[in-house]
Amino acid sequence: MTTTAPGTAGAPEVHFWAVPDLTGLDFDPTLAKLLHEDPVTRVRLPHGEGHAWLVTRYEDVKFVSVDPRFSRQAVWGRSITRLAPHFIPMEGAVGFADPPDHTRMRRVVARAFSARALRSLRDHAQDVMDALLDAMEERGAPADLMESVNRPFPLAMVSELMGVPEADRPLMAQWSDTIISAGAGREASERAKAEMGAYFTELIGRRHGADSDQLAAVLADAVDDGTLTEHEAVGLAVLIQIGGAHAVRNNSANMVYALLTHPEHLARLRAEPELIPQAVDELLRYIPHRNAVGLSRIATEDVEVGGVRIPAGDPVYVSYLTANRDPDVFPEPERLDFDRAYNPHVAFGHGPHYCPGSALARIESEILLASLWTRFPKLRLAVPEDALRWQRGALIRGPETLPVTW
């Protein structure tokens, strides 16, 4: 439920946003309402203190994302109103950095996502996917796609990128789930973050001098030449490992669910597989891939956004979800349209904090959608839609299980 409280004299009202546990492809009604009726407004979320500004229109979201007067670094140490009881990134991580520090850290990560590395990862991704589908076929129907494909596939890929041995990947999954959940609690999340940080400190330490594109070795090189501190390298490793495994797991599951519940779209893709890259972009625009909002920024001086003055020192959130549903940019935004030729979505963010792993995430999604129905052309839900269970208290939305048969 969302209620509204009057602000101080002359100030905009504050919307209390009790973020619901939504299911499937349902779009948050509060976000939809604010986009159309109050696109630059003040909100209060379940945790933290005070209020924050929420910016929802496409052009305003892009403006805040790139304007240097909005600082991520200034967030650290402040108990800003937020969805989770805890901060996800480690202190000093790239998520809380501003240029030039952010630029320096991003430049290191880019080496692991070079064209050569991505070609190698694409080949590896197809091999991993084929092995997972072999095992699923051997076990027989019904199967839980989350357990069989959507969880292990992105976990294997980001772990390969990082240089995490296969035996340690279940531990990575356990830590990531705890850190990324709004419901696990601050103590459990901070403990998992510390343990994951200690693991990557040791892993990076072992990779000094290794001639490899794997990110642990790249980060070790950057520590050796003074580009990064060890603390920064570990923070980067933790953030990329969590994002690469958790976000792609749920986003790809939402894509599969969308196709399973839009049979005409699925039939189109099966008849025209060359449309898959374009379809993946439209699915990225369309699916509500997270609950509420991500990390905030702080206005370092008074800034006008969408005709509203945001005072210096105030926290500001942008909603990439609502930006992707802005009718001024996307005609009929509530419609899933694989013929949408112009699709400048911001599902991976915008500006300096654009997701560094976006190319790998696209590769994984394309391979998953292309391979799943090639192997199982009659794949369908094994339970009624309303029987599916969705994760509760999640920052990134996704199903708990995705039972299918064929």
Side-chain angles (χ1 to χ4, degrees):
M1 176 180 178
T2 301
T3 58
T4 302
T8 56
E13 58 192 9
V14 177
H15 300 269
F16 290 90
W17 187 7
V19 181
D21 280 311
L22 296 167
T23 61
L25 304 173
D26 293 345
F27 199 81
D28 190 315
T30 297
L31 281 177
K33 180 180 176 66
L34 293 177
L35 169 64
H36 295 288
E37 298 179 11
D38 200 0
V40 181
T41 192
R42 300 195 303 170
V43 296
R44 185 172 296 163
L45 288 154
H47 296 281
E49 300 172 1
H51 70 268
W53 293 89
L54 176 64
V55 176
T56 52
R57 287 186 300 208
Y58 184 88
E59 291 300 334
D60 294 338
V61 164
K62 288 177 65 179
F63 171 74
V64 172
S65 300
V66 300
D67 194 290
R69 294 172 293 178
F70 295 101
S71 167
R72 279 273 181 86
Q73 194 167 336
V75 171
W76 193 261
R78 293 184 53 175
S79 181
I80 290 165
T81 188
R82 58 188 183 270
L83 175 60
H86 52 278
F87 283 122
I88 301 303
M90 297 178 68
E91 183 179 3
V94 68
F96 280 124
D98 294 330
D101 285 339
H102 180 271
T103 309
R104 170 176 54 84
M105 289 188 265
R106 280 289 294 251
R107 193 175 293 124
V108 172
V109 175
R111 179 180 148 192
F113 292 102
S114 67
R116 182 183 69 174
L118 288 173
R119 281 195 299 272
S120 175
L121 285 168
R122 179 180 280 276
D123 292 341
H124 180 68
Q126 189 63 64
D127 291 342
V128 170
M129 177 57 62
D130 290 343
L132 290 172
L133 295 181
D134 286 345
M136 182 170 130
E137 188 171 25
E138 186 175 340
R139 287 191 298 268
D144 174 15
L145 274 184
M146 295 302 289
E147 179 183 352
S148 299
V149 177
N150 291 89
R151 176 183 285 267
F153 180 50
L155 177 62
M157 292 307 301
V158 74
S159 297
E160 176 69 19
L161 171 77
M162 291 297 310
V164 173
E166 188 170 350
D168 294 340
R169 293 173 187 177
L171 194 55
M172 286 289 146
Q174 178 185 329
W175 282 330
S176 297
D177 286 349
T178 303
I179 293 168
I180 205 74
S181 171
R186 179 191 297 269
E187 185 178 338
S189 173
E190 293 300 327
R191 183 169 58 250
K193 196 189 301 183
E195 291 171 355
M196 198 176 198
Y199 176 94
F200 278 116
T201 299
E202 195 274 334
L203 179 64
I204 291 169
R206 282 193 279 115
R207 300 305 301 274
H208 288 290
D211 182 18
S212 171
D213 284 333
Q214 288 184 317
L215 192 51
V218 171
L219 293 172
D221 289 346
V223 173
D224 287 344
D225 66 21
T227 306
L228 296 179
T229 66
E230 181 182 74
H231 186 71
E232 288 171 336
V234 170
L236 277 166
V238 169
L239 199 61
I240 291 170
Q241 178 73 36
I242 293 172
H246 193 85
V248 178
R249 177 187 85 190
N250 287 336
N251 286 345
S252 65
N254 289 334
M255 289 182 188
V256 171
Y257 171 78
L259 290 176
L260 289 171
T261 54
H262 289 73
E264 68 285 1
H265 290 76
L266 176 56
R268 174 93 184 275
L269 279 196
R270 293 197 57 221
E272 303 174 58
E274 67 276 6
L275 271 181
I276 285 178
Q278 189 167 315
V280 165
D281 264 331
E282 173 65 354
L283 286 162
L284 284 166
R285 182 201 68 81
Y286 179 79
I287 60 175
H289 60 274
R290 67 167 303 117
N291 290 318
V293 283
L295 297 177
S296 64
R297 295 166 172 83
I298 302 293
T300 58
E301 59 183 80
D302 291 0
V303 188
E304 184 174 302
V305 179
V308 177
R309 186 182 67 87
I310 295 180
D314 276 13
V316 183
Y317 284 103
V318 298
S319 173
Y320 294 121
L321 296 184
T322 52
N324 284 340
R325 296 291 184 103
D326 188 334
D328 289 341
V329 180
F330 306 98
E332 297 183 81
E334 287 78 28
R335 185 164 68 92
L336 183 63
D337 181 7
F338 289 166
D339 291 316
R340 197 181 294 277
Y342 178 66
N343 190 357
H345 68 77
V346 287
F348 292 116
H350 182 70
H353 291 278
Y354 184 83
C355 174
S358 60
L360 179 58
R362 278 192 172 91
I363 287 170
E364 292 175 48
S365 298
E366 290 171 13
I367 285 176
L368 192 153
L369 297 186
S371 302
L372 199 54
W373 277 278
T374 299
R375 181 69 68 93
F376 303 106
K378 295 183 180 180
L379 190 79
R380 61 193 184 278
L381 286 173
V383 298
E385 283 181 51
D386 58 9
L388 290 173
R389 300 193 311 274
W390 295 78
Q391 297 170 37
R392 300 185 63 80
L395 304 182
I396 307 295
R397 191 195 304 187
E400 287 185 6
T401 60
L402 196 52
V404 294
T405 189
W406 55 89

